[in-house]
């Protein structure tokens, strides 16, 4: 049987159906008995769906420049 760490590492492969049938069965068995992992996998699923529907994030040149202006003063002195 898989442990919680295995489930955390293989959640994406499970959701993408990239696990072997045996591994998928073990994964489902763990989810059946472990509420924390069921919740974790559900959150991963929701987050992935949201990000896929939203599409790639793009920042304008102005937004990038604003971020860089805020980052530069806090960068360590290299002298
Ligand atoms: Zn678990």
């Amino acid at each position: 049987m898989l442990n919680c760490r295995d489930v955390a590492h293989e959640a994406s492969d499970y959701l993408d159906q990239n696990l072997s049938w045996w591994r998928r069965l073990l994964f489902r068995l763990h989810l059946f008995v472990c509420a924390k992992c069921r919740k974790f996998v559900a959150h991963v699923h929701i987050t992935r769906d949201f990000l896929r529907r939203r599409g790639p994030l793009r920042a304008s040149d102005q937004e990038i420049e604003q971020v860089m202006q805020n980052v530069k003063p806090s960068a360590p002195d290299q002298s």
Side-chain angles (χ1 to χ4, degrees):
M1 186 155 146
L2 302 181
N3 61 34
C4 296
R5 184 176 300 223
D6 295 329
V7 169
H9 283 128
E10 297 179 21
S12 290
D13 286 333
Y14 172 75
L15 293 170
D16 290 337
Q17 300 186 357
N18 287 333
L19 297 178
S20 68
W21 69 271
W22 177 248
R23 197 72 179 175
R24 189 168 182 81
L25 180 65
L26 294 174
F27 197 100
R28 285 185 176 186
L29 183 60
H30 184 89
L31 293 184
F32 183 72
V33 298
C34 183
K36 288 181 180 177
C37 284
R38 278 197 306 273
K39 192 172 184 178
F40 173 76
V41 171
H43 280 271
V44 171
H45 185 74
I46 290 167
T47 301
R48 288 163 45 110
D49 273 1
F50 172 77
L51 292 174
R52 284 181 179 161
R53 273 187 265 125
R54 193 177 193 292
L57 297 175
R58 296 193 62 100
S60 68
D61 290 344
Q62 184 181 2
E63 291 168 325
I64 292 170
E65 186 58 36
Q66 285 177 332
V67 169
M68 293 308 292
Q69 291 297 323
N70 291 327
V71 170
K72 284 178 184 172
S74 63
D77 189 10
Q78 296 187 0
S79 59

